[in-house]
Amino acid sequence: MKNLFNNTQIAFSLKSDTELDRAYFLFKLIDNQPLVRIGTAVTNFAIKANLPVEGLIRATVFDHFCGGVSEDDCIPVVDKMYAKGVSSVLDYSVEGKEEEEQFDAVLKKTLKLIDFAKEKKAIPFAVFKPSGFGRIDLYQAIGEGKKLTLAETEEWNRVVARFDKVCKASHGNDIALLIDSEESWMQDAVDDLVEEMMRKYNKSKPIVFNTLQMYRWDRLDYLKKLHEKAKKEGFYIGMKLVRGAYMEKENERAQEMGYPTPICSSKEATDENYDDTVRYMVDNIDSMSVFAGTHNELSTYFLMNLMGEKGLKANDSRIWFGQLYGMSDNISFNLAANGYNVAKYLPFGPVKDVMPYLIRRAEENTSVAGQTSRELKMIKAERDRRKGK
């Protein structure tokens, strides 16, 4: 099993030579930290100044990391991947909104995506970000137990209603719903609200999934406490496990405000935390379902081995592996070729609105040790294979 992810022919079977060359060019750029900083600043300026750069962005970084500008635009990508056994999670990646009408627009879009998923076997999950449904400051105030004004109470009730509407639609359509994680200072309110939704809609199986960021040292304890409640109250747990995306921001805020950082002390501690949580979930797989969102090969092998030890089938419906579109194709497509459940997060939205997401992807790739060099190594190996070297 150890060399399963080295098969580049399977990994890049959907990429033409031109697309492979573009991927190599992009990751070479991302590998250069100063260039990423300059590039993001220039791109941001160009978009704000309404310079005609959307075509260039669309033909390069956007088309590599995104499925299209609309859900219909994504269908060719969804169908192509599903032909290779890889499912899709359509992720409306518009971030940083603050107005009620914008939150209602995201709600409407999420409900539409649930309907969309109902019609497509290739789309087994819907997804949304809590900050798409309400203000970050409001979540923070709720999590800290602050006294709300009447207007804030009404605003929070609208956030709860949005969550409930989407969870109810997912339950009614039998579509699992992934709720993404946020920064720790707003996550407590999210956790409580998602727990309420699990209690309501996960009575017969996991439909509503929360997300645990395993670079936080407290998350396994949180899951264990939630599990105790679930056993007592009779509901199932759905969890997406990721390592986390806001490490620098989390550490800086903790230092500035003088509280202990919620982040694990090292990369090794994070890896151990991730794998311990995977083990806990597989040990309790009769009462929970796991979506293992990881680009880490060792964690992927770890889960595969656990499944083998427990006698679980590769396609056990309670266990999914997930990666981001445009990354770690060697993991996604080789897993699928071996019968495992795999879904790619497929971001989409207007080019201008998706730029914050794309910039975050570039910055994460630059900061995650080894990620870009692994991508480059795989792409180079496939280019060489195609040239007969």
Side-chain angles (χ1 to χ4, degrees):
M1 196 190 273
K2 265 293 173 194
N3 295 320
L4 181 73
F5 303 135
N6 290 346
N7 188 325
T8 60
Q9 186 174 2
I10 288 174
F12 300 113
S13 58
L14 293 181
K15 286 209 179 329
S16 66
D17 290 349
T18 306
E19 287 168 333
L20 206 59
D21 290 344
R22 180 184 66 191
Y24 187 77
F25 167 74
L26 279 174
F27 282 110
K28 277 297 251 187
L29 285 179
I30 290 168
D31 205 26
N32 186 319
Q33 239 171 343
L35 211 56
V36 168
R37 278 200 298 273
I38 294 162
T40 54
V42 169
T43 304
N44 272 331
F45 170 77
I47 285 175
K48 281 173 187 165
N50 288 318
L51 297 178
V53 292
E54 285 199 11
L56 177 62
I57 294 165
R58 175 94 209 238
T60 53
V61 64
F62 184 92
D63 278 356
H64 182 80
F65 290 110
C66 300
V69 296
S70 69
E71 54 271 35
D72 290 313
D73 211 12
C74 294
I75 290 303
V77 179
V78 169
D79 289 344
K80 272 204 310 187
M81 289 202 295
Y82 196 60
K84 300 290 181 182
V86 176
S87 298
S88 296
V89 182
L90 290 189
D91 182 14
Y92 184 55
S93 297
V94 174
E95 301 180 356
K97 304 300 184 187
E98 287 281 310
E99 306 295 328
E100 287 293 303
E101 62 188 38
Q102 293 168 327
F103 300 141
D104 286 336
V106 175
L107 169 65
K108 193 175 172 185
K109 178 64 80 174
T110 310
L111 290 168
K112 188 178 177 185
L113 289 174
I114 291 167
D115 283 337
F116 207 67
K118 182 178 65 175
E119 303 302 325
K120 286 288 266 188
K121 202 178 170 193
I123 308 173
F125 295 90
V127 65
F128 74 92
K129 252 178 105 62
S131 54
F133 280 8
R135 286 187 304 114
I136 290 170
D137 290 348
L138 184 63
Y139 285 103
Q140 185 180 340
I142 295 282
E144 291 171 355
K146 288 184 178 168
K147 189 166 170 54
L148 301 184
T149 65
L150 181 60
E152 286 171 332
T153 301
E154 288 171 352
E155 187 185 354
W156 179 247
N157 288 340
R158 289 194 294 273
V159 175
V160 174
R162 289 182 191 110
F163 268 73
D164 191 67
K165 199 164 188 178
V166 165
C167 292
K168 186 177 183 180
S170 288
H171 181 264
N173 288 301
D174 199 25
I175 298 291
L177 179 68
L178 302 169
I179 300 172
D180 282 346
S181 53
E182 303 276 4
E183 292 92 338
S184 62
W185 52 93
M186 67 171 283
Q187 190 62 39
D188 285 349
V190 174
D191 287 343
D192 289 347
L193 187 45
V194 178
E195 183 183 317
E196 199 182 309
M197 297 298 130
M198 284 188 192
R199 201 174 272 114
K200 197 168 178 181
Y201 296 110
N202 285 8
K203 286 186 172 146
S204 56
K205 67 174 184 177
I207 287 285
V208 178
F209 282 63
N210 202 354
T211 299
L212 297 180
Q213 294 175 306
M214 300 319 302
Y215 64 7
R216 284 182 56 177
W217 49 263
D218 65 338
R219 296 287 79 188
L220 179 52
D221 283 342
Y222 165 78
L223 175 62
K224 287 177 177 176
K225 284 174 189 159
L226 180 64
H227 189 207
E228 287 308 309
K229 289 183 196 172
K231 283 190 284 191
K232 277 182 197 156
E233 297 174 39
F235 65 90
Y236 288 81
I237 290 172
M239 280 294 174
K240 175 164 70 104
L241 304 184
V242 298
R243 275 170 168 76
Y246 308 106
M247 187 166 71
E248 287 170 14
K249 204 193 279 191
E250 291 281 1
N251 283 330
E252 280 168 18
R253 187 177 188 270
Q255 196 170 2
E256 276 170 25
M257 300 187 72
Y259 62 83
T261 178
I263 305 299
C264 290
S265 57
S266 65
K267 165 90 167 59
E268 292 72 29
T270 297
D271 291 343
E272 193 177 323
N273 200 28
Y274 190 99
D275 290 346
D276 285 349
T277 306
V278 165
R279 185 190 294 280
Y280 183 83
M281 291 196 75
V282 173
D283 282 346
N284 294 284
I285 202 66
D286 288 340
S287 59
M288 50 183 77
S289 181
V290 60
F291 185 103
T294 183
H295 293 212
N296 185 296
E297 291 182 12
L298 292 179
S299 284
T300 307
Y301 283 129
F302 181 78
L303 176 50
M304 293 161 74
N305 287 329
L306 275 181
M307 292 172 73
E309 286 168 19
K310 297 277 181 188
L312 300 172
K313 289 180 182 173
N315 66 346
D316 189 300
S317 63
R318 299 165 295 184
I319 300 174
W320 282 78
F321 296 82
Q323 290 79 42
L324 297 166
Y325 182 68
M327 292 168 63
S328 299
D329 286 348
N330 65 310
I331 296 178
S332 308
F333 288 92
N334 281 301
L335 276 172
N338 283 271
Y340 291 89
N341 296 321
V342 188
K344 284 278 204 189
Y345 253 60
L346 188 58
F348 75 95
V351 176
K352 198 173 178 178
D353 291 339
V354 174
M355 278 317 296
Y357 167 85
L358 289 172
I359 286 166
R360 211 150 42 80
R361 279 289 80 81
E363 288 169 348
E364 276 172 36
N365 270 292
T366 306
S367 63
V368 175
Q371 177 66 41
T372 304
S373 56
R374 274 196 302 276
E375 297 285 354
L376 283 167
K377 184 182 166 191
M378 290 290 164
I379 294 165
K380 186 176 183 306
E382 177 58 11
R383 287 166 100 203
D384 289 347
R385 189 195 68 79
R386 291 184 187 187
K387 288 170 188 167
K389 287 185 182 176

